[in-house]
Amino acid sequence: MLDEPVSAGDRSELTGIIRDIRKRWRLKLAVRGAAFVVAGFVLTLLLSAYALETLKFSPGSIIAFRVAMVMILGALAGYFFVLPQWRRVTDEQVALYLEEFEPSLETAILSALEAEKQSASHSPALARRLIEQAVEQCGLIEQGRRLEAQPLRRYAAVIGGTIAAALVVFLLGPAYLRQGASALLLMAGDVLEASPYRIDVKPGNATVPRGSDQVITAAVQGFESDHAELLIRKSVGAPFEHVPMVFNTDTRTFEGMLFDLPGSIDYFVESGGVRSSVFAMHAADLPYVKQLEMEYVFPAYTGLA
């Protein structure tokens, strides 16, 4: 009777308790990792939105910060979420973990595991009794369920609080925060359309008669500025020349004049740190009206010449 081997039921019950503790421990790590990922992502999003405002939502900056957001999110998820889940944890480590936070167990679980492994060469009855005692003591502490309860609530509260604070900041904060978050998160959209700041330029890409005078108009959208410049380039590789523009108070647009256009040019408008797209104006030998005369022929009864 004293040499009766350890029963499969006792062994499986202890193994099940350790497996459940390991699962809850991994769940705690997962929720903790999610808290770090959410907090890091929100902070990165806020800083990126502020940086985009500083850079006036230029297309290059939007693309760069989109790539940076993906890389940072991947790094956060990998370090705080994926790597802890890949960590291999033995039954002995689980026992030490539980006994560290539940001093009442002393070394009951660890002793039971060691005795169960050595039951073939040592007393099976002793191993069976140690396992029974470990199972009984685990029952007194609710099989370790309360160990992760408080951390899980705390990490869940951190996640909820971070999301709530982020919503308050984005909804009640400056408009550029919402605009920046939209530009960064809606990656499927066009980069130019994602920017709230733009300059609408007319006539844009056009073919005009050679030697004609051309008026370039620019209207700023999403911001205010009292100064604008027209930059033109007469050949590929040549530097852009600055041409001042005048603000028309009636049309609320900036206007610039190009006189006697000899050939094709590239041009764009810059205002308040925001640049428009680069347009091409081709000068061609087209018929156009250089001078217009009007002749009045009055009726005879008016007596006018």
Side-chain angles (χ1 to χ4, degrees):
M1 184 68 177
L2 293 177
D3 295 332
E4 182 180 346
V6 178
S7 66
D10 293 336
R11 185 188 298 111
S12 62
E13 188 173 359
L14 180 61
T15 303
I17 292 173
I18 293 175
R19 182 174 60 251
D20 291 342
I21 294 173
R22 185 187 289 111
K23 287 181 179 179
R24 291 194 298 271
W25 174 77
R26 291 192 184 280
L27 177 61
K28 182 187 72 173
L29 292 183
V31 177
R32 186 187 68 177
F36 278 107
V37 171
V38 170
F41 179 75
V42 169
L43 179 60
T44 303
L45 189 61
L46 286 171
L47 295 177
S48 299
Y50 177 78
L52 285 179
E53 167 67 12
T54 304
L55 298 173
K56 298 300 181 182
F57 287 84
S58 64
S61 65
I62 293 176
I63 294 175
F65 278 103
R66 282 179 176 178
V67 174
M69 286 287 295
V70 173
M71 295 178 64
I72 291 174
L73 180 60
L76 290 173
Y79 185 78
F80 291 107
F81 191 83
V82 178
L83 286 181
Q85 297 300 317
W86 276 357
R87 179 182 174 186
R88 185 177 180 274
V89 181
T90 63
D91 292 347
E92 288 76 11
Q93 289 175 316
V94 175
L96 288 173
Y97 164 74
L98 182 59
E99 291 170 355
E100 178 182 357
F101 292 96
E102 292 287 354
S104 62
L105 292 175
E106 297 181 347
T107 60
I109 300 179
L110 190 60
S111 299
L113 291 174
E114 292 177 353
E116 193 273 333
K117 288 183 177 180
Q118 300 174 3
S119 61
S121 57
H122 294 76
S123 171
L126 176 61
R128 184 178 66 256
R129 183 55 186 158
L130 289 174
I131 292 175
E132 291 174 352
Q133 289 179 346
V135 171
E136 291 173 0
Q137 289 185 285
C138 286
L140 296 176
I141 61 168
E142 301 176 2
Q143 297 183 347
R145 291 189 182 90
R146 62 189 183 188
L147 187 60
E148 286 82 15
Q150 184 176 357
L152 283 174
R153 287 194 296 268
R154 183 169 62 249
Y155 295 138
V158 170
I159 295 175
T162 301
I163 294 175
L167 289 175
V168 171
V169 171
F170 282 113
L171 293 176
L172 302 181
Y176 69 80
L177 292 179
R178 296 186 292 277
Q179 295 162 348
S182 176
L184 293 171
L185 297 178
L186 301 179
M187 298 187 182
D190 184 75
V191 175
L192 294 178
E193 293 179 356
S195 173
Y197 304 151
R198 63 180 182 273
I199 303 176
D200 295 332
V201 180
K202 294 180 179 180
N205 295 314
T207 300
V208 299
R210 192 184 309 276
S212 61
D213 300 335
Q214 296 296 322
V215 177
I216 309 297
T217 62
V220 298
Q221 303 289 336
F223 68 102
E224 295 183 358
S225 178
D226 56 359
H227 177 75
E229 279 189 322
L230 173 64
L231 290 92
I232 63 172
R233 181 175 61 185
K234 297 180 179 179
S235 62
V236 177
F240 280 92
E241 302 176 13
H242 294 253
V243 177
M245 303 185 76
V246 178
F247 185 71
N248 188 326
T249 56
D250 295 331
T251 60
R252 307 298 297 175
T253 60
F254 293 95
E255 297 179 352
M257 177 69 76
L258 299 177
F259 297 98
D260 191 19
L261 194 65
S264 300
I265 63 168
D266 296 325
Y267 72 99
F268 67 90
V269 176
E270 183 175 8
S271 178
V274 180
R275 288 188 175 186
S276 70
S277 301
V278 178
F279 302 98
M281 183 175 289
H282 301 286
D285 295 322
L286 301 176
Y288 71 98
V289 177
K290 187 174 184 179
Q291 184 177 356
L292 182 67
E293 293 183 357
M294 182 176 293
E295 181 180 358
Y296 289 95
V297 180
F298 297 99
Y301 67 84
T302 62
L304 298 175

